[in-house]
Amino acid sequence: MTTERREPANTADERTMLEGWLDYHRQTLAWKCEGLSDAQLRTASVEPSELTLMGLVRHMADVERSWFRRVLADEDAGPIHYSDEDPDGEFHLTVADTWDEASATWEAEIEAARRIAARFGLDDITEGKHRRTGERYNLRWIYTHMIEEYARHNGHADLIRERVDGAIGD
């Protein structure tokens, strides 16, 4: 499978632009993971870091869930890969963790995020609150934050991918 990335149209309306850039960055992370084995997806960038491509995908599954299901829609959806006892659990891979599971979970959270966001306008305030700050947000802020979150982690993914097999690209 070859991941196709598409930038949003230069003249798109605001919502289409925000959703387009978010999807572009989601596609970029998928592209950075494409064609690698489970072992390669578990390869850390540099010691002592535990940062791996599979860990980034697991992290983004939890980020999608947190912002769209928990904050935006106020769903009672607990964390997937982390806990109070292991707040960085998404990066602590075990032998039982697989790419198939990580990828399927991430894709399911993206689909849930799209479904939920479709019910809200850009200026609509979240039904839930941020679990640590208690703050509410509008959907525009969440989209902008998610674009930033993916863009930052895609920079990490660039470096990890180059370390794994030498592949480079924007």
Side-chain angles (χ1 to χ4, degrees), residues 50-86:
E50 297 180 279
L51 193 59
T52 65
L53 290 168
M54 190 183 306
L56 283 175
V57 165
R58 288 163 44 107
H59 173 68
M60 292 312 300
D62 268 311
V63 171
E64 294 270 2
R65 176 179 278 224
S66 179
W67 282 106
F68 290 99
R69 293 178 66 187
R70 294 167 78 181
V71 177
L72 185 59
D74 198 26
E75 286 185 16
D76 185 17
I80 305 165
H81 302 292
Y82 69 89
S83 64
D84 289 337
E85 297 77 34
D86 188 6

Coordinates of all heavy atoms in Angstrom, one line a residue, residues 50-86:
E50 N 13.3 6.1 24.1 CA 12.4 4.9 23.8 C 11.5 5.3 22.6 O 10.6 4.5 22.3 CB 11.5 4.5 25.0 CG 12.3 4.1 26.2 CD 11.4 3.7 27.3 OE1 11.0 4.6 28.0 OE2 11.1 2.5 27.5
L51 N 11.7 6.4 22.0 CA 10.8 6.9 20.9 C 11.0 6.1 19.6 O 12.1 5.9 19.1 CB 11.2 8.4 20.6 CG 10.2 9.1 19.7 CD1 8.8 9.2 20.4 CD2 10.7 10.5 19.5
T52 N 9.9 5.4 19.2 CA 9.8 4.6 18.0 C 8.7 5.0 17.2 O 7.8 5.7 17.6 CB 9.6 3.1 18.4 OG1 8.3 3.0 19.0 CG2 10.7 2.6 19.4
L53 N 8.7 4.6 15.9 CA 7.5 4.9 15.1 C 6.2 4.2 15.6 O 5.2 4.9 15.6 CB 7.8 4.4 13.6 CG 8.9 5.3 12.9 CD1 9.3 4.6 11.6 CD2 8.4 6.7 12.6
M54 N 6.3 3.0 16.1 CA 5.1 2.3 16.6 C 4.6 3.1 17.9 O 3.4 3.3 18.0 CB 5.4 0.9 16.9 CG 4.1 0.1 17.3 SD 4.3 -1.6 17.8 CE 5.2 -2.3 16.5
G55 N 5.6 3.5 18.7 CA 5.2 4.3 19.9 C 4.5 5.6 19.5 O 3.6 6.0 20.1
L56 N 5.0 6.3 18.4 CA 4.4 7.5 18.0 C 2.9 7.3 17.5 O 2.0 8.1 17.8 CB 5.2 8.2 16.9 CG 6.4 8.9 17.3 CD1 7.2 9.4 16.0 CD2 6.1 10.1 18.2
V57 N 2.7 6.2 16.8 CA 1.4 5.9 16.3 C 0.5 5.6 17.5 O -0.7 6.0 17.6 CB 1.4 4.7 15.3 CG1 0.0 4.1 15.1 CG2 2.0 5.2 14.0
R58 N 1.0 4.8 18.5 CA 0.2 4.5 19.7 C -0.1 5.8 20.4 O -1.2 6.0 20.9 CB 0.9 3.5 20.6 CG 0.9 2.1 20.0 CD 2.0 1.2 20.7 NE 2.1 1.3 22.1 CZ 1.6 0.4 23.0 NH1 1.1 -0.7 22.5 NH2 1.8 0.6 24.3
H59 N 0.9 6.7 20.5 CA 0.7 8.0 21.2 C -0.4 8.8 20.5 O -1.3 9.4 21.1 CB 2.0 8.8 21.2 CG 1.9 10.2 21.7 ND1 1.6 10.5 23.0 CD2 2.0 11.4 21.0 CE1 1.6 11.8 23.1 NE2 1.8 12.4 21.9
M60 N -0.4 8.9 19.2 CA -1.3 9.7 18.4 C -2.7 9.0 18.5 O -3.7 9.8 18.5 CB -0.9 9.9 17.0 CG 0.3 10.8 16.8 SD 0.2 12.3 17.8 CE -1.2 13.1 17.1
A61 N -2.8 7.7 18.7 CA -4.2 7.1 18.9 C -4.7 7.7 20.2 O -5.9 8.0 20.3 CB -4.0 5.6 18.9
D62 N -3.9 7.7 21.2 CA -4.4 8.3 22.5 C -4.7 9.8 22.4 O -5.7 10.3 23.0 CB -3.4 8.0 23.6 CG -3.6 6.7 24.4 OD1 -4.8 6.5 24.8 OD2 -2.7 5.9 24.6
V63 N -3.9 10.5 21.7 CA -4.1 12.0 21.5 C -5.5 12.2 20.8 O -6.3 13.0 21.2 CB -3.0 12.6 20.8 CG1 -3.3 14.1 20.4 CG2 -1.7 12.6 21.6
E64 N -5.7 11.4 19.7 CA -7.0 11.5 18.9 C -8.1 11.3 19.9 O -9.1 12.0 19.9 CB -7.0 10.6 17.8 CG -6.0 10.8 16.7 CD -6.5 11.7 15.6 OE1 -7.7 12.2 15.6 OE2 -5.7 12.0 14.6
R65 N -8.0 10.2 20.6 CA -9.1 9.8 21.6 C -9.3 10.9 22.6 O -10.5 11.2 22.9 CB -8.7 8.5 22.3 CG -9.7 8.1 23.3 CD -9.4 6.8 24.0 NE -9.8 5.7 23.1 CZ -10.4 4.6 23.5 NH1 -10.6 4.4 24.8 NH2 -10.8 3.7 22.7
S66 N -8.3 11.4 23.2 CA -8.4 12.4 24.2 C -9.1 13.6 23.8 O -10.1 14.1 24.4 CB -7.0 12.7 24.8 OG -7.1 13.7 25.8
W67 N -8.6 14.2 22.7 CA -9.2 15.5 22.2 C -10.6 15.4 21.6 O -11.4 16.2 21.9 CB -8.2 16.2 21.3 CG -7.1 16.8 22.0 CD1 -5.8 16.4 22.1 CD2 -7.2 18.0 22.9 NE1 -5.1 17.2 22.9 CE2 -5.9 18.2 23.4 CE3 -8.3 18.8 23.2 CZ2 -5.7 19.2 24.3 CZ3 -8.0 19.8 24.1 CH2 -6.7 20.1 24.6
F68 N -10.8 14.3 20.8 CA -12.1 14.3 20.2 C -13.2 13.5 21.0 O -14.3 14.0 21.1 CB -11.9 13.6 18.8 CG -11.2 14.5 17.8 CD1 -9.9 14.4 17.6 CD2 -11.9 15.6 17.2 CE1 -9.2 15.2 16.7 CE2 -11.2 16.5 16.3 CZ -9.9 16.3 16.1
R69 N -12.8 12.4 21.5 CA -13.8 11.6 22.3 C -14.0 12.1 23.7 O -15.1 12.3 24.1 CB -13.5 10.1 22.3 CG -13.6 9.5 20.9 CD -13.1 8.1 20.8 NE -14.1 7.3 21.5 CZ -13.9 6.0 21.8 NH1 -12.9 5.4 21.3 NH2 -14.8 5.3 22.4
R70 N -12.9 12.4 24.4 CA -13.0 12.7 25.8 C -13.3 14.2 26.0 O -14.3 14.6 26.7 CB -11.8 12.4 26.5 CG -11.5 10.9 26.6 CD -10.2 10.5 27.0 NE -10.0 10.6 28.5 CZ -8.9 10.4 29.1 NH1 -7.8 10.0 28.4 NH2 -8.9 10.5 30.4
V71 N -12.6 15.1 25.3 CA -12.8 16.5 25.5 C -14.0 17.1 24.6 O -14.9 17.7 25.1 CB -11.5 17.3 25.2 CG1 -11.7 18.8 25.3 CG2 -10.4 16.9 26.1
L72 N -13.9 16.9 23.3 CA -14.9 17.4 22.4 C -16.3 16.8 22.7 O -17.3 17.6 23.0 CB -14.6 17.2 21.0 CG -15.5 17.9 19.9 CD1 -15.6 19.4 20.1 CD2 -15.0 17.6 18.5
A73 N -16.4 15.5 22.8 CA -17.7 14.9 22.9 C -18.1 14.4 24.4 O -19.2 14.0 24.6 CB -17.8 13.6 22.0
D74 N -17.1 14.6 25.3 CA -17.3 14.2 26.7 C -17.7 12.7 26.8 O -18.5 12.4 27.7 CB -18.4 15.1 27.4 CG -18.3 15.0 28.9 OD1 -17.2 14.8 29.4 OD2 -19.4 15.3 29.5
E75 N -17.1 11.9 26.0 CA -17.3 10.4 26.2 C -16.4 9.9 27.3 O -15.4 10.4 27.6 CB -16.9 9.7 24.9 CG -17.8 9.9 23.7 CD -17.4 9.1 22.5 OE1 -16.5 8.1 22.7 OE2 -17.9 9.4 21.4
D76 N -16.9 8.9 27.9 CA -16.2 8.2 29.0 C -15.3 7.1 28.3 O -15.5 5.9 28.3 CB -17.1 7.5 30.0 CG -16.4 6.9 31.1 OD1 -15.2 7.2 31.4 OD2 -17.0 6.0 31.8
A77 N -14.2 7.6 27.6 CA -13.3 6.8 26.9 C -11.9 6.9 27.6 O -11.2 7.9 27.4 CB -13.2 7.2 25.4
G78 N -11.5 5.9 28.3 CA -10.3 6.0 29.0 C -9.1 5.9 28.0 O -9.3 5.6 26.8
P79 N -7.9 6.0 28.6 CA -6.7 5.9 27.7 C -6.5 4.5 27.2 O -7.0 3.6 27.8 CB -5.6 6.3 28.7 CG -6.1 6.2 30.1 CD -7.6 6.3 30.0
I80 N -5.9 4.4 26.1 CA -5.7 3.2 25.4 C -4.3 2.5 25.9 O -4.3 1.4 26.3 CB -5.6 3.3 23.9 CG1 -6.9 4.0 23.4 CG2 -5.4 1.9 23.2 CD1 -6.8 4.5 22.0
H81 N -3.3 3.3 25.9 CA -1.9 2.7 26.1 C -1.2 3.2 27.3 O -0.2 2.7 27.6 CB -1.1 3.0 24.9 CG -1.6 2.5 23.6 ND1 -1.7 1.2 23.3 CD2 -2.1 3.1 22.5 CE1 -2.2 1.0 22.1 NE2 -2.5 2.2 21.6
Y82 N -1.7 4.2 28.0 CA -1.0 4.8 29.2 C -2.0 4.7 30.4 O -3.2 4.4 30.2 CB -0.6 6.2 28.9 CG -1.7 7.2 28.8 CD1 -2.2 7.8 30.0 CD2 -2.3 7.5 27.6 CE1 -3.2 8.8 29.9 CE2 -3.3 8.5 27.5 CZ -3.8 9.1 28.7 OH -4.8 10.0 28.6
S83 N -1.4 4.9 31.5 CA -2.2 4.9 32.8 C -1.5 5.8 33.7 O -0.5 6.4 33.5 CB -2.2 3.5 33.4 OG -0.8 3.1 33.7
D84 N -2.2 6.0 34.9 CA -1.6 6.9 35.9 C -0.3 6.3 36.4 O 0.7 7.0 36.7 CB -2.6 7.0 37.1 CG -3.8 7.9 36.8 OD1 -3.7 8.7 35.8 OD2 -4.8 7.8 37.4
E85 N -0.2 5.0 36.4 CA 1.0 4.3 36.8 C 2.1 4.4 35.8 O 3.3 4.3 36.1 CB 0.7 2.8 37.2 CG -0.2 2.6 38.3 CD -1.7 2.8 37.9 OE1 -2.1 2.5 36.8 OE2 -2.4 3.3 38.8
D86 N 1.7 4.4 34.5 CA 2.7 4.5 33.4 C 2.2 5.6 32.4 O 1.6 5.2 31.4 CB 2.8 3.1 32.7 CG 3.9 3.1 31.7 OD1 4.7 4.0 31.6 OD2 4.0 2.0 31.0

